[in-house]
Structure formats: C-alpha cells, structure tokens
C-alpha cells in the first residue's frame, strides 16, 4: 500500500465518521422537534382519570357506560346535532372541535364566532385522531354511524379521550340525547327546561288534533334536502310528523337507502299522491312546482308545496334540534283553522330568546320562517 | 287516477325507456367495434378509459360545485380526455397505434383515473357529496328526463351512426394491421375514426346514466353467437341487443322491489347466466 493510498483511506474514514455524526444529530433534533410540537405534546398527557379525580358515569346511546370528568371545559362535537345542543345549552364557547357542516350555519356562527376557528378533525367519514388530540377536548360526542365503525371506535379509545355516542330514532331518544349532553357538559337544568318545552309543544298540538280522526289526517310528503329524499320508519321525522298530525306517505314504504339517507322514486311519490308536500331546502319547492314530471301531483296542481322554515338547522330535518318548532309550524300549516291562535312569529322569537338567548330582529324571524338563505353555501366557507 | 298513470308512463317511463335503449345500444355497439379492431374478445366499451375518465369528471364536478348540474359536461370532457391520453400513449411506441399498445394505454389511463376517483371520494364531504358520487358511479336511469335524452342523445346518435356507416372496415381491421394495409386501408385514420365514434357514443351514455358495466362486453358476444362474426351484421345486431337488454334489465330493476336495484348489479346478474345459456345452446356459434 503506498502512502498516497493510505492517506486517501484516512480521509475517507474521517468523512464517513463526520457523516455518521451529522446523521445521528439530525435524528436527535427531529425527535426533540416532534416531541415539542403542539400535536404531540398532548399525546403524552396523563390519562384523563389521573388528571381529574372527579368523574361521573353516564350511559350513552350505544349502551356504553362511560366515565366523564365532572368539569368539562373543552367539548368536541363530531356530530352537527351535538354542536347545536351544546350551543343551545349555553356552552357554545367551549366547543373546540366540530364537523365541517357546523361552520356553514349562518345563525350559529353569528352567535358563536369561535366555531369558525374550531378544529374540524372529521373528514371522509373518519376521525383524524392527531387533529382531535391537538384540539384537546375533555369529552367528544360522536354519532351512531361513526360508532358502528369498529375501527373508529378503537381509534378513539386509544386517544384516552372519553367519547359518547349520541343518536336517536324518535322524539323520546332525541330528548334523552339532549338530557345526556346537558348532564355531561354541566347544563342539566337547561336541558331539562328544553325537554319540558319540547313536551309542552307536543301536548299542545296533540290536544287540538284530537278533533281530527286518523283517516282525516292530511297526507304529507316530506322532502329532505333533495326532492326525492324522504323519511323512513324509525326516524325522528317519522315520529314528529305523526305528532304534528301529518300522515307521512313515505313511512313504512319500500325506500332506497344510500348511506344513511332514504330515497323514494318519483313513481312512488306520484302513486302516493300526497295532498301536501313539505320541502326543507330552499329551491326544491320551485323545482317541484315547475317540473313536468311532478306536474300530475295534486299537491302541485293545488300549489300546496310549502317551504319549511330554516333557522339554526332546517326545521324538522332528521338532525335538527328545532323539532318542537317544526311540530308547531307543521300543525299550523296543515290545519290552519285548528291552530289559528298560534302565532309563529312570536313563538319563534321567544324560542330563540329563551333557549339561545338571542334577540331576533323581526326581519330575521321572517327570513327563518320563509326558509330562505339561512345557510352559507359551501364555497363561501372555503 | 288515470292522470297519474299518464304522467308516470309519459313523463317517467317513456324517457327512461328511450334513454335505456340509447345507452344500451351505444355501449354494446362501441364494445363490438372495439372487440373487432383490437382483435381481443375481452375488451369492452370502457377499455380505453372512457368510463373511469367520465367517472372522475363527474366526481370532480360534484366536488367543485357541490351539485350535479355540471356532471354532464365534466363527465363528457374527461371521458374524451382519457381516451385521447390512451391513444397518445399507444402512439409513444409506434405511430401506427398497434392494438396491443392502445389496450395497454387504456389500462394505464383507467387505473390512473380510478385512483383519482378514489381520491375524490376520500376528500368528499361524507354526508353530502360522497353519497352523490357513489350513486352516480353506480349507474342509474331512474332520473331520466327528456332533457337527458337531448343532452346525451346527440353524441350517442352521432357515434352510433358513425360506427354503423364504417362497420365493414372493422372487418378489414380485424384481420390485423398488415393485412388491412395490404388491402389499401389506412389503418391509423380508420382506427382513429372508429375510436372517436365509439368514444362519443360511450361518453354520451356514461354522462347521462353513470357507469353501467357488462353491456359493452357481453352483448357483442351474444350477438356473435346469434349472427356470426361478420361485423357488417354483428354491429347493428349488438346495437339492438344492447338496447333491448338494458330496457329489459331496467324494467326488472324497477319491478323487483319498490326501491329499485342499481343497474350495474342487475346487468351482471341477468347477463351472466344468459351468456352461459347461449354458450351452451350455440356451442360458441360464430366465434
């Protein structure tokens, strides 16, 4: 081996050693950096039980018995309905994580600007665990559909954040859901007050509807968001519409299920020939009234296609908290003579004042009742 | 009551039947033409990527505009784009666009667009957009209106008439490029025309009814068992077989349950056993 070769080997060894050193340093730096970033910090937090001694036990929709801290200050609402309940119960400022849909509610975001800034750790039907942990909620509410997905449940269990499944198929279960949320976020009394109002609305219309025998009830088709999307049995709309005196034509029929939505075919609707069509999405009523395919329906010929009001949510929507209002409005719309004493303007005003502490100007009340333009279109929030 | 029946027959079932006939015919005739020029019995109307391209276009339109009003235009445009891409990939290897290269290009483009469809589904809003996309991709004639016939019917009619007019050249091309050239046929131009017509027909079908599988693959085979291998007869036969088959299947889907079974499921379920039955009866016939 010549001296030159010897030297070049030495130099090479030095270079290699230096590279190895740089490499090790880089790894150390990146581990430290990852550990320090917001996203990971909270992942190392102590288990919830150790952090807060005081816990309460509740039973959720799925029948799970869950321990949640007594004092809940950061709330995750991965179901739009829960966001509406939390806001109604006066804890809207504590919402730290939402579903994208909540950010599109004009009225809600006007009342609670923090919702626009909240994290949205739920995309493509799956929970984004890192985003959720980053938002650091004390408790998370998820919907029944998410809970049916085992992978999602396991993922949430790993996070150590207590989560509650909230869902319902009828009025009674919806009231239970509201009560449960109230209990967990420390607003039990208000939830009770809301459920009592809900119950009063039901009793109020039921009392007057006694005068209408079952075979004289108006046959109604309820269009949900899309013209042919409607209600199946064992859903909240099937229940509340029956309470409001409507004979819902699509309940107990053979409907097409896509995702969690039920669709009727136009042929079915034409054969049912409802006397009244209630529509909850603005624009759909015009479509139905002007479409050639719908023109043979009696409801269309008699111009009995009504746009339902649209407040924080679409009234009467399967995921709506304004169900008691939908019951009142529908009863009055279907039986105007029976409910001539019911003033929807003042009723609406006092509802939002009482439960959302929101003084609605007359103009906004009219807009809500007309059902038009209350939801921000999707593009404008992007 | 009669008023309702009139309305159902004329406003709902009539456009549905017309559209079903057009779509079934368009898919089957393009399948027959492709099987001829690619000399491969396994290709269908979607082989050059038109279906997946159109599917992606529709998904993109639903994502961008959050409604289904632009799906026609987007589905049609991306369907055409996909075929153009397959064609250009086929030309990379040789400017004579050999059949095998075109098929390969089609496979590549199809898988790229399928991946893009999956991606679009992944980023879609799961409560509003995703069901719309999935529903669209499943294929359906349930929402057919006369308007759809006007929109999708023009490209379908043009494509179908083009294929019928040029059908004898499919015979020549199906002998292979060398033989066709020796008979004085410009293979590149003729292949281009046939691909363009078949694409027009298929894209028109896909953009009004979503992706309906199976018709474009199997109807030409059934035609072959019945009338033999001569494309002069086979192409019109495929057209009418496809049209009848889709109307039949659509009626079946509508009648079995009140909630309608998606077309794609039934075309395979009904077509498969029928295919085997014919195979047994004719022992392959004109293959």
């Amino acid at each position: 081996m010549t001296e030159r070769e010897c030297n070049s080997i030495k130099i090479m060894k030095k270079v290699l050693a230096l590279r190895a050193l740089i490499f090790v340093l880089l790894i150390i730096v990146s581990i430290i950096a990852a550990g320090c970033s917001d996203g990971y910090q909270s992942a190392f937090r102590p288990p919830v039980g150790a952090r807060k001694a005081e816990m309460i036990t509740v039973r959720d929709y799925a029948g799970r018995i869950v321990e949640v801290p007594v004092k809940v200050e950061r709330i995750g609402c991965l179901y739009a309905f829960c966001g509406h309940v939390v806001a109604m119960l006066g804890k809207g400022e504590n919402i730290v994580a939402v579903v994208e849909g909540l950010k599109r509610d004009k009225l809600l975001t006007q009342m609670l600007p923090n919702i626009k800034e909240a994290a949205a750790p739920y995309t493509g039907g799956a929970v984004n665990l890192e985003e959720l942990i980053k938002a650091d909620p004390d408790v998370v509410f998820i919907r029944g559909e998410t809970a049916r997905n085992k992978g999602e449940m396991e993922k949430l269990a790993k996070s150590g954040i207590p989560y509650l499944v909230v869902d319902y198929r009828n009025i009674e279960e919806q009231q239970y859901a509201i009560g449960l949320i109230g209990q967990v976020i420390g607003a039990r009394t208000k939830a009770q007050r809301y459920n009592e109002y809900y119950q009063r609305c039901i009793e109020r219309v039921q009392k007057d509807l006694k005068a209408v025998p079952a075979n004289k009830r108006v046959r109604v088709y309820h269009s949900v968001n899309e013209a042919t999307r409607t209600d199946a049995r064992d859903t909240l709309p099937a229940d509340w519409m029956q309470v409001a005196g409507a004979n819902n034509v699509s309940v107990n029929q053979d409907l097409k299920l896509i995702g969690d939505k039920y669709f009727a075919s136009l042929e079915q609707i034409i054969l049912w020939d409802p006397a009244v069509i209630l529509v909850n999405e603005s624009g759909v009523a015009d479509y139905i009234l002007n479409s050639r395919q719908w023109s043979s329906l009696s409801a269309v010929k008699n111009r009995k296609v009504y746009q339902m009001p649209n407040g924080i949510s679409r009234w009467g929507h399967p995921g709506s908290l304004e169900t008691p209002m939908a019951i009142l409005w529908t009863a009055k719309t279907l039986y105007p003579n029976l409910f001539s004493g019911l003033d929807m303007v003042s009723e609406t005003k006092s509802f939002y004042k009482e439960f959302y502490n929101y003084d609605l100007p007359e103009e906004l009340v009219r807009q809500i009742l007309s059902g038009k333009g209350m939801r921000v279109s999707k593009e404008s929030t992007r | 009551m009669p008023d309702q029946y009139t309305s159902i027959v004329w406003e709902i079932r009539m456009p549905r039947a017309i559209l079903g006939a057009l779509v079934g015919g368009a898919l089957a005739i393009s399948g027959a033409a492709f099987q001829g020029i690619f000399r491969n019995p396994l290709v269908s109307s979607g082989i050059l990527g038109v279906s997946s391209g159109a599917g992606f276009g529709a998904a993109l339109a639903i994502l961008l505009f959050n409604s289904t009003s632009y799906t026609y235009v987007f589905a049609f445009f991306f369907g055409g784009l996909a075929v153009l891409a397959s064609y250009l990939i086929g030309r990379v290897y040789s400017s004579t666009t050999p059949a095998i290269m075109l098929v390969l290009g089609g496979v590549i483009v199809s898988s790229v667009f399928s991946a893009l469809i999956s991606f679009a589904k992944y980023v879609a809003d799961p409560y509003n957009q995703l069901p719309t996309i999935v529903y669209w991709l499943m294929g359906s004639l349930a929402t057919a209106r006369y308007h759809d016939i006007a929109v999708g019917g023009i490209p379908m009619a043009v494509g179908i008439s083009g294929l019928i007019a040029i059908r004898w050249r499919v015979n020549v091309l199906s002998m292979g490029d060398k033989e066709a050239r020796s008979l004085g046929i410009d293979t590149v131009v003729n292949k281009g025309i046939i691909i363009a017509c078949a694409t027009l027909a298929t894209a028109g079908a896909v953009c009004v009814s979503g992706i309906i599988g199976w018709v474009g693959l199997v109807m030409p085979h059934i035609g072959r068992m019945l009338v033999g291998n001569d494309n002069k007869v086979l192409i019109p036969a495929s057209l009418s077989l496809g049209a009848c088959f889709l109307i039949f299947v659509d009626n079946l889907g509508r009648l079995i349950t009140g909630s309608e079974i998606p077309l794609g499921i039934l075309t395979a379920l009904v077509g498969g056993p029928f295919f085997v039955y014919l195979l047994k009866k004719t022992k392959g016939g004109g293959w």
Side-chain angles (χ1 to χ4, degrees):
Chain A
M1 204 186 278
T2 65
E3 202 183 332
R4 234 178 90 189
E5 277 173 323
C6 239
N7 269 341
S8 71
I9 287 175
K10 270 184 196 163
I11 291 170
M12 255 170 65
K13 275 186 177 166
K14 268 189 187 165
V15 171
L16 279 177
L18 194 65
R19 277 192 192 164
L21 189 68
I22 292 172
F23 185 64
V24 170
L25 276 176
L26 271 177
I27 290 179
I28 292 172
V29 167
S30 57
I31 288 175
I32 293 171
C36 286
S37 78
D38 286 337
Y40 289 87
Q41 201 172 27
S42 47
F44 295 126
R45 67 187 198 162
V48 180
R51 198 168 55 162
K52 288 204 184 81
E54 280 183 275
M55 308 287 278
I56 53 164
T57 333
V58 290
R59 184 175 61 83
D60 72 359
Y61 173 75
R64 297 161 58 246
I65 307 292
V66 186
E67 278 206 325
V68 291
V70 170
K71 214 168 153 50
V72 168
E73 269 152 7
R74 299 173 69 81
I75 305 166
C77 298
L78 302 191
Y79 181 14
F81 168 74
C82 301
H84 293 150
V85 178
V86 173
M88 185 270 289
L89 296 176
K91 302 277 178 179
E93 268 96 28
N94 298 352
I95 296 178
V96 293
V98 293
V99 283
E100 201 60 52
L102 274 181
K103 300 189 176 191
R104 291 203 295 270
D105 277 316
K106 233 184 196 173
L107 206 54
L108 193 70
T109 48
Q110 199 179 328
M111 288 191 264
L112 300 162
N114 63 307
I115 285 186
K116 278 199 166 158
E117 268 73 56
Y122 190 80
T123 41
V127 179
N128 181 340
L129 206 56
E130 287 198 22
E131 279 289 308
L132 184 67
I133 289 173
K134 198 168 153 187
D136 195 24
D138 297 320
V139 65
V140 178
F141 296 109
I142 60 169
R143 61 186 299 171
E145 197 172 274
T146 317
R148 272 194 290 280
N149 186 336
K150 235 180 166 178
E152 293 301 311
M153 294 277 266
E154 277 165 17
K155 217 158 70 178
L156 279 167
K158 260 183 235 158
S159 74
I161 302 168
Y163 65 97
L164 294 167
V165 184
V166 172
D167 226 319
Y168 48 81
R169 285 162 303 187
N170 50 42
I171 292 175
E172 199 190 325
E173 287 179 348
Q174 191 182 37
Q175 291 178 343
Y176 179 80
I178 294 163
L180 173 71
I181 295 174
Q183 192 185 354
V184 169
I185 65 173
R188 186 184 239 156
T189 348
K190 189 155 185 204
Q192 235 161 33
R193 204 146 51 83
Y194 177 85
N195 279 341
E196 278 160 19
Y197 173 78
Y198 199 154
Q199 209 53 43
R200 269 206 310 282
C201 288
I202 295 171
E203 280 153 20
R204 180 172 175 185
V205 297
Q206 290 277 285
K207 190 173 71 130
D208 289 343
L209 281 169
K210 275 199 191 116
V212 188
N215 58 353
K216 289 270 165 58
R217 302 258 160 128
V218 181
R219 301 180 72 248
V220 182
Y221 171 76
H222 181 206
S223 147
V224 183
N225 299 30
E226 288 160 64
T228 56
R229 184 180 159 198
T230 186
D231 314 319
R233 65 170 155 260
D234 283 333
T235 60
L236 177 70
D239 199 16
W240 78 250
M241 282 189 67
Q242 187 256 328
V243 166
N247 176 358
N248 191 331
V249 291
S250 65
V251 171
N252 291 326
Q253 297 285 338
D254 211 352
L255 300 174
K256 177 148 64 181
L257 179 65
I258 300 171
D260 59 344
K261 301 170 179 175
Y262 292 93
F263 291 86
S265 75
L266 191 46
E267 288 193 19
Q268 285 177 308
I269 300 169
I270 290 177
L271 289 177
W272 297 331
D273 198 28
V276 168
I277 296 177
L278 298 182
V279 170
N280 76 348
E281 172 82 24
S282 65
V284 174
D286 289 335
Y287 167 76
I288 289 175
L289 283 168
N290 296 317
S291 158
R292 265 174 70 186
Q293 294 188 312
W294 292 70
S295 59
S296 72
L297 285 159
S298 320
V300 175
K301 280 186 197 148
N302 304 329
R303 313 293 288 178
K304 294 210 164 176
V305 181
Y306 301 112
Q307 162 79 53
M308 297 184 75
N310 196 338
I312 287 176
S313 61
R314 299 179 180 87
W315 287 12
H317 186 275
S320 170
L321 184 54
E322 288 135 314
T323 321
M325 300 306 290
I327 292 174
L328 294 181
W329 182 88
T330 304
K332 188 177 164 73
T333 305
L334 298 180
Y335 308 97
N337 298 330
L338 222 50
F339 296 96
S340 52
L342 181 60
D343 177 7
M344 279 318 290
V345 173
S346 71
E347 203 67 44
T348 306
K349 250 183 139 160
S350 66
F351 177 80
Y352 289 102
K353 173 74 190 144
E354 161 106 19
F355 294 108
Y356 291 89
N357 195 22
Y358 193 72
D359 264 317
L360 287 176
E362 192 90 358
E363 190 193 340
L364 203 50
V365 175
R366 305 240 168 248
Q367 205 185 342
I368 287 174
L369 288 172
S370 78
K372 288 185 180 128
M374 290 307 292
R375 283 174 76 83
V376 190
S377 71
K378 189 157 201 180
E379 287 80 41
S380 56
T381 52
R382 284 245 167 109
Chain B
M1 216 43 178
D3 192 23
Q4 265 120 35
Y5 292 159
T6 325
S7 172
I8 286 182
V9 170
W10 289 105
E11 294 297 334
I12 297 175
R13 297 199 181 164
M14 198 62 187
R16 206 169 156 163
I18 296 174
L19 200 67
L22 268 172
V23 167
L27 292 175
I29 200 173
S30 341
F34 277 162
Q35 287 177 4
I37 64 167
F38 293 134
R39 302 200 295 152
N40 183 340
L42 290 177
V43 306
S44 74
S45 43
I47 187 68
L48 292 182
V50 61
S51 307
S52 31
F56 171 69
L60 189 68
I62 292 167
L63 276 188
L64 288 180
F65 304 106
N66 204 21
S67 86
T68 48
S69 21
Y70 296 95
T71 47
Y72 288 135
V73 186
F74 272 67
F76 194 79
F77 176 75
F78 277 92
L81 191 73
V83 174
L84 188 69
S86 304
Y87 189 77
L88 292 179
I89 291 173
R91 282 184 72 104
V92 168
Y93 176 74
S94 146
S95 59
T96 57
T97 58
I100 185 74
M101 280 297 131
L102 278 176
V103 173
L104 187 61
V107 170
I108 296 169
V109 171
S110 293
S111 52
V112 167
F113 276 109
S114 304
L116 286 174
I117 291 176
S118 304
F119 184 67
K121 282 187 190 166
Y122 181 75
V123 296
D125 179 329
Y127 294 115
N128 295 317
Q129 298 171 329
L130 188 60
T132 320
I133 295 176
V134 172
Y135 190 44
W136 194 92
L137 289 175
M138 272 198 303
S140 169
L141 294 169
T143 52
R145 289 165 297 165
Y146 287 112
H147 172 71
D148 297 321
I149 300 173
V151 172
I154 297 166
M156 279 192 270
V158 172
I160 290 171
S161 344
L163 286 175
I164 289 180
I166 205 173
R167 67 187 189 276
W168 62 274
R169 293 186 193 216
V170 177
N171 272 347
V172 184
L173 283 169
S174 69
M175 290 189 289
D177 281 7
K178 253 190 215 151
E179 286 77 0
R181 268 199 297 276
S182 73
L183 286 169
I185 293 260
D186 186 334
T187 54
V188 176
V189 171
N190 280 293
K191 255 189 225 168
I193 293 173
I194 292 169
I195 290 174
C197 287
T199 302
L200 266 181
T202 314
V206 174
C207 81
V208 287
S209 65
I211 296 173
I212 296 172
W214 187 259
V215 179
L217 173 66
V218 167
M219 284 307 122
H221 286 298
I222 292 177
R224 221 163 271 136
M225 291 177 205
L226 297 173
V227 302
N229 227 339
D230 182 359
N231 283 297
K232 263 166 88 176
V233 194
L234 175 62
I235 281 186
S238 300
L239 173 71
S240 89
L241 274 171
C244 297
F245 179 71
L246 205 59
I247 295 180
F248 172 71
V249 167
D250 185 44
N251 274 322
L252 209 61
R254 188 164 51 71
L255 291 174
I256 291 177
T257 63
S259 53
E260 294 200 10
I261 298 169
L263 266 184
I265 298 174
L266 276 181
T267 48
L269 280 184
V270 175
F274 183 59
F275 184 73
V276 175
Y277 164 77
L278 269 187
L279 195 63
K280 187 169 177 286
K281 185 127 196 212
T282 62
K283 301 269 182 276
W287 266 332

